[in-house]
Amino acid sequence: MTVAILGGGQLGRMLALAAHRLAIPCRALDPIADSCVRDVAPLVVGAYDDADALRELTRGATVATYEFENVPVRALEALASVRVPIAPPPRALQVAQDRLLEKRFFAEIGLDVPDYRSIDSAAELRAAASALGLPLILKARRLGYDGRGQRRIETAVDLDAACAALDRSPAPSIVERLISFDREVSVIGVRARDGQIVIYPPVWNTHDAGILIRSVTPAPSLARALIARADHLMRAALESLDYVGVLTLELFECAGRLLGNEMACRVHNSGHWTIDASSCSQFENHIRAILGLPLGAADVRHPAVMLNILGSAPDLVPLLAIPGAHVHLYGKSPAPRRKLGHVTICAPTPVEAEFAVARVQSLLAPIAPRP
Ligand code: ATP
Ligand code: MG
């Protein structure tokens, strides 16, 4: 058994590490030669749609998967032509890559979303703004991540600026109501080839200008009804896509309801805690699912808080001295706001976890403002 991974970032690295424990070799493809997967698995350097690179990637592979949501769907089609099964299914990726298709898919599974309009021009944006009112958030339909390709429209001046930008470079977009949610939660589920499903409990996520900084599990005082609802939505999404692998739903908790934000057809930053605080990590469960192996339990063995290490690496010595702090570094070179690693703090109780979190936080560099 060999797994081919499109994408060589930290998610690929952690997938390869999980596979390694089961003596399952991985090979990865990334256009960037110093992609951080390189330390733990052979890396093919090339474009995602380069036929030679794809052939090299999938040589002897049992299955191909992806850890990068902007892999061109045509690359997956090219892969199908070299006859390697692909999981998760390319249709799921197609939906997740386009915010409009994604919102329509959410409607299909009964998940409400903030009011939105699909727009292609400044005139349509103005019409949408009069219909929806301000504040709004404008998002490119395709190729966004970590808050890129988005702008908030809070005032008439912002609206003029957004219209001018659209006039200069028109892009199919959606504009949606900027809602004041109570908090953000995500739910991560896994579906195996035989239809077995396991779902991790919802996690509470905090972002800084579009980038995840912290995840808390289990999400404190989340109503039972919402936990059941998240579970139901995940099951519906997995089944309707005939999904195989790990799927993430990013949700807003808003006045006792869950609204859909987006989905990711891959292992997710808000699931990194599973390495240290669950019986089976999201990475291992993804590998198991795509290879047709039985899934592991998606439980929470103890409360955990995951903090991303962004921008610059902390001093290891004091960090490692904090009981319950599990440090993961990805071997990436520093850059403002770049995800360089994460720390998962595990403790017998949430209160004890928060105590250690404060110590860890004091050792992490402040996050640079978004340029
Ligand atoms: P990522 O890849 O990190 O998930 P992204 O670029 O795909 O980010 P979104 O998840 O759509 O973008 O948005 C990033 C963040 O912006 C959200 O996590 C949320 O904090 C905020 N946000 C997005 N849409 C809305 C909205 N309609 N109302 C309020 N806040 C929003
Ligand atoms: Mg998001």
Side-chain angles (χ1 to χ4, degrees):
M1 284 192 290
T2 302
V3 176
I5 306 171
L6 285 97
Q10 64 268 17
L11 301 177
R13 178 177 167 115
M14 288 183 274
L15 281 170
L17 286 170
H20 188 66
R21 283 203 327 147
L22 299 172
I24 295 165
C26 293
R27 193 181 298 122
L29 168 67
D30 199 288
I32 298 170
D34 75 342
S35 296
C36 70
V37 78
R38 74 193 180 290
D39 301 331
V40 300
L43 172 67
V44 179
V45 179
Y48 293 120
D49 52 0
D50 177 313
D52 290 338
L54 287 170
R55 201 169 304 114
E56 170 66 7
L57 171 74
T58 53
R59 195 168 31 86
T62 319
V63 64
T65 190
Y66 43 88
E67 60 93 77
F68 176 59
E69 57 203 324
N70 291 325
V71 165
V73 169
R74 68 172 186 277
L76 299 183
E77 286 160 2
L79 264 190
S81 75
V82 289
R83 283 187 229 93
V84 180
I86 296 156
R91 171 170 130 67
L93 187 65
Q94 211 159 20
V95 170
Q97 279 181 351
D98 182 329
R99 291 187 189 271
L100 182 59
L101 300 186
E102 192 172 60
K103 286 198 164 15
R104 290 181 180 151
F105 172 71
F106 286 169
E108 266 170 47
I109 60 166
L111 173 56
D112 293 334
V113 296
D115 288 336
Y116 73 97
R117 295 285 187 282
S118 161
I119 59 130
D120 290 317
S121 65
E124 285 176 358
L125 175 57
R126 284 198 191 278
S130 348
L132 298 172
L134 301 185
L136 297 170
I137 182 163
L138 177 68
K139 303 178 178 182
R141 273 173 61 177
R142 301 178 59 81
L143 299 177
Y145 68 98
D146 290 345
R148 288 170 225 217
Q150 300 189 2
R151 63 196 293 162
R152 289 174 182 227
I153 304 176
E154 280 162 308
T155 63
V157 174
D158 296 342
L159 180 60
D160 289 342
C163 287
L166 265 181
D167 273 335
R168 274 195 308 275
S169 46
S173 303
I174 57 147
V175 62
E176 63 190 54
R177 247 194 204 126
L178 190 70
I179 57 164
S180 55
F181 48 77
D182 298 316
R183 63 179 158 181
E184 293 187 69
V185 295
S186 58
V187 59
I188 295 179
V190 198
R191 187 166 177 271
R193 290 200 176 274
D194 67 359
Q196 183 197 359
I197 288 175
V198 296
I199 300 174
Y200 295 95
V203 173
W204 167 33
N205 300 318
T206 311
H207 291 81
D208 175 284
I211 197 163
L212 182 72
I213 50 174
R214 170 185 154 118
S215 295
V216 180
T217 186
S221 353
L222 185 62
R224 270 167 193 264
L226 291 192
I227 298 175
R229 174 85 182 131
D231 199 90
H232 166 83
L233 290 165
M234 174 52 76
R235 223 164 264 283
L238 289 168
E239 278 167 358
S240 129
L241 292 164
D242 196 17
Y243 201 87
V244 173
V246 167
L247 176 72
T248 307
L249 290 178
E250 296 180 13
L251 305 164
F252 298 125
E253 182 186 357
C254 196
R257 293 168 65 208
L258 293 178
L259 298 182
N261 177 30
E262 61 170 353
M263 69 178 198
C265 301
R266 52 168 173 77
V267 287
H268 194 262
N269 196 167
S270 68
H272 290 359
W273 64 271
T274 59
I275 301 174
D276 301 300
S278 181
S279 296
C280 189
S281 76
Q282 60 165 347
F283 301 101
E284 182 171 331
N285 259 331
H286 185 75
I287 295 291
R288 291 190 191 202
I290 64 176
L291 285 169
L293 301 169
L295 302 183
D299 55 354
V300 184
R301 286 191 301 181
H302 28 245
V305 178
M306 190 282 315
L307 299 176
N308 268 340
I309 298 173
L310 299 168
S312 61
D315 188 355
L316 261 188
V317 175
L319 197 54
L320 293 176
I322 299 172
H326 302 262
V327 181
H328 301 255
L329 293 173
Y330 310 146
K332 290 162 69 172
S333 49
R337 297 175 72 81
R338 181 176 287 166
K339 292 175 180 170
L340 301 182
H342 70 270
V343 185
T344 299
I345 297 107
C346 298
T349 63
V351 172
E352 286 162 280
E354 283 306 332
F355 183 70
V357 164
R359 291 182 65 190
V360 171
Q361 232 147 11
S362 72
L363 298 172
L364 301 182
I367 304 161
R370 212 166 142 200

